[in-house]
Amino acid sequence: MAVSSIEELIDALKRLPGIGPKAAQRMTYQLLTTEKEEALRLGNALLNAVEKVRRCPRCNNLTDKEVCSYCASTQREDSQLCVVETVADMMVIEQSLSWNGRYFILMGRLSPLNGIGPNELEFRHLLDRASEPEVKEVVIATSFTAEGEATALAISELLKKYLPQLKVTRIAKGIPAGAELEYTDVNTVAQAMLNRRIRENL
Ligand SMILES: [Zn+2]
């Protein structure tokens, strides 16, 4: 049986993070009954963004420019590179106002059970980016979950092996074990950034 266009929309919406089947249904009926103009605006904005937005070749952030605004900015410190798992994590650090260096987004974390190893993440790209001569410090800001910690360890070993001259630090453990950066309040993130430690001293 063919899926109706209403069911298709509900199904697409409920795949989004934080939206359950009930909310997806409510949104769909609201968009299609009372807010037709808003619905078209949303549809056009989505089409437009999907067409224009891509990954920044320097850091993997989303952008509709050649490189993203964080990489293009001349106000940021070139010597410091902060490694995060996702764009959402980068945004939290940005909101904490504790970082004025550059970023690198791994696009996830090591998760052997889900088949995500070093080759599935952007380790090679990170190594290239971190080997640029102006980079002096790499701050590892992966989450404090078991997988995030394993990812931090793997990155620090990789950097030590190929780029031993780099200072490699990890944001401090003011962030509770098991925590996702994305859901941590900005003051805690700012403290963790300020108290970052050299890997050996952990
Ligand atoms: Zn970028």
Side-chain angles (χ1 to χ4, degrees):
M1 197 179 74
V3 181
S4 80
S5 47
I6 296 172
E7 284 166 344
E8 205 180 333
L9 181 54
I10 294 171
D11 190 56
L13 286 169
K14 78 180 180 202
R15 287 164 196 270
L16 296 173
I19 297 179
K22 276 217 170 113
Q25 209 166 50
R26 263 203 326 270
M27 285 173 168
T28 298
Y29 288 119
Q30 177 140 354
L31 284 167
L32 296 179
T33 50
T34 55
E35 298 182 7
K36 214 157 188 171
E37 230 166 79
E38 278 301 301
L40 287 174
R41 204 164 77 103
L42 176 68
N44 285 331
L46 183 61
L47 275 179
N48 198 26
V50 168
E51 203 162 285
K52 287 192 185 146
V53 172
R54 57 202 172 102
R55 295 267 164 204
C56 170
R58 298 204 26 90
C59 73
N60 293 322
N61 186 17
L62 296 170
T63 182
D64 56 6
K65 307 266 179 355
E66 196 100 326
V67 293
C68 80
S69 56
Y70 299 122
C71 291
S73 165
T74 54
Q75 307 299 313
R76 286 185 170 260
E77 193 55 63
D78 279 328
S79 62
Q80 296 181 310
L81 189 64
C82 178
V83 180
V84 292
E85 292 175 10
T86 61
V87 175
D89 289 352
M90 183 191 72
M91 297 314 298
V92 170
I93 294 177
E94 216 25 50
Q95 283 157 15
S96 78
L97 304 177
S98 59
W99 185 246
N100 193 40
R102 309 286 176 181
Y103 290 100
F104 185 88
I105 300 162
L106 284 173
M107 316 275 296
R109 58 186 173 216
L110 294 176
S111 180
L113 292 177
N114 297 310
I116 300 175
N119 292 335
E120 278 65 43
L121 295 177
E122 293 273 304
F123 277 27
R124 176 159 282 281
H125 188 183
L126 170 62
L127 205 54
D128 286 346
R129 177 68 183 86
S131 7
E132 290 179 20
E134 67 273 17
V135 179
K136 305 290 181 229
E137 179 186 2
V138 173
V139 182
I140 304 174
T142 54
S143 64
F144 286 89
T145 60
E147 290 176 343
E149 293 280 23
T151 309
L153 185 64
I155 291 171
S156 107
E157 280 172 358
L158 182 81
L159 294 174
K160 255 181 225 152
K161 186 172 173 192
Y162 293 101
L163 302 167
Q165 76 284 6
L166 275 185
K167 181 178 169 191
V168 179
T169 55
R170 172 87 165 115
I171 56 169
K173 291 202 173 178
I175 296 177
E180 300 280 359
L181 224 57
E182 186 184 347
Y183 303 115
T184 307
D185 77 278
V186 292
N187 292 326
T188 308
V189 171
Q191 275 307 317
M193 183 59 85
L194 291 171
N195 297 329
R196 65 186 185 270
R197 308 256 159 78
I198 305 242
R199 273 304 293 196
E200 284 92 347
N201 301 342
L202 281 175

